[in-house]
């Protein structure tokens, strides 16, 4: 008889070089426009939480991000400005030649207001919590319903409308 251990399901977090992106972070990123903004946030998320820190573990600059992501410097600058404005990132320290270290805040969705807001990582439970197995149909259906309801309820304005 063949022992079928290949079908076992494991509940553990993979080790580097894998990074787990929480569902709320992914849902926020997927609806960002322009898409270069989502690339910038993912990059900053990767060099912070991907390395096990809540801030970027190395100094980075607009030019370096643009080079690594293959997008224009102007787009990266606009994304950084936007994320600072909404509280997604905060400048910790900046050095003229080396670059900047950022604290990367994580998104939360307010069902009452229908808006995304950013909060300090220490105040967010989903970074530390481990969910049940995703293979259960009940959990999969609840995730699909949650995604559809958030998609219908949210409309994010990237730039303020000026009253001219």
């Amino acid at each position: 008889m063949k022992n079928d251990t290949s079908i076992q399901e494991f509940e553990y977090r993979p080790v580097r070089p894998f990074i787990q992106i929480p569902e709320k972070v992914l849902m926020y990123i997927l609806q960002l426009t322009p898409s270069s903004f989502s690339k910038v946030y993912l990059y900053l998320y990767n060099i912070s939480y991907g390395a096990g820190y809540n801030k970027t573990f190395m100094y980075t600059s607009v030019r370096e991000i643009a080079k690594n992501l293959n997008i224009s410097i102007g787009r990266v600058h606009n994304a950084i400005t936007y994320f600072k404005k909404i509280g997604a990132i905060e400048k910790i320290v900046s050095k003229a030649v080396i670059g900047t270290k950022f604290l990367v805040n994580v998104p939360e969705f307010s069902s009452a207001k229908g808006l995304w807001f950013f909060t300090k990582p220490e105040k967010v439970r989903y970074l530390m919590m481990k969910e049940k197995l995703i293979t259960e149909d009940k959990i999969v259906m609840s995730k699909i319903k949650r995604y559809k309801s958030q998609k219908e309820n949210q409309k994010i304005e990237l730039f303020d409308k000026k009253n001219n």
Side-chain angles (χ1 to χ4, degrees), residues 65-81:
I65 294 171
K67 182 181 135 200
N68 290 340
L69 297 178
N70 196 23
I71 55 179
S72 73
I73 293 171
R75 288 256 184 190
V76 174
H77 182 69
N78 289 344
I80 296 284
T81 304

Side-chain angles (χ1 to χ4, degrees), residues 31 33 82 85-86 115 155-161:
Q31 53 82 37
T33 54
Y82 171 70
K85 182 178 177 181
I86 64 171
L115 297 171
K155 291 182 182 175
I156 291 185
E157 298 288 331
L158 288 181
F159 305 103
D160 292 338
K161 293 180 180 177

Side-chain angles (χ1 to χ4, degrees), residues 59 93-101:
Y59 287 93
V93 64
S94 184
K95 295 190 178 182
V97 178
I98 301 173
T100 306
K101 280 191 176 185

Side-chain angles (χ1 to χ4, degrees), residues 16-20 43-53 57:
R16 289 186 187 107
F18 298 99
I19 179 172
Q20 282 190 331
Y43 179 80
L44 293 173
Y45 186 89
N46 186 36
I47 63 172
S48 57
Y49 296 102
Y53 302 98
F57 72 94

Side-chain angles (χ1 to χ4, degrees), residues 52 57 105 112 114 136 148 150:
F57 72 94
N105 293 324
E136 295 179 29
K148 286 182 178 177
Q150 285 183 3

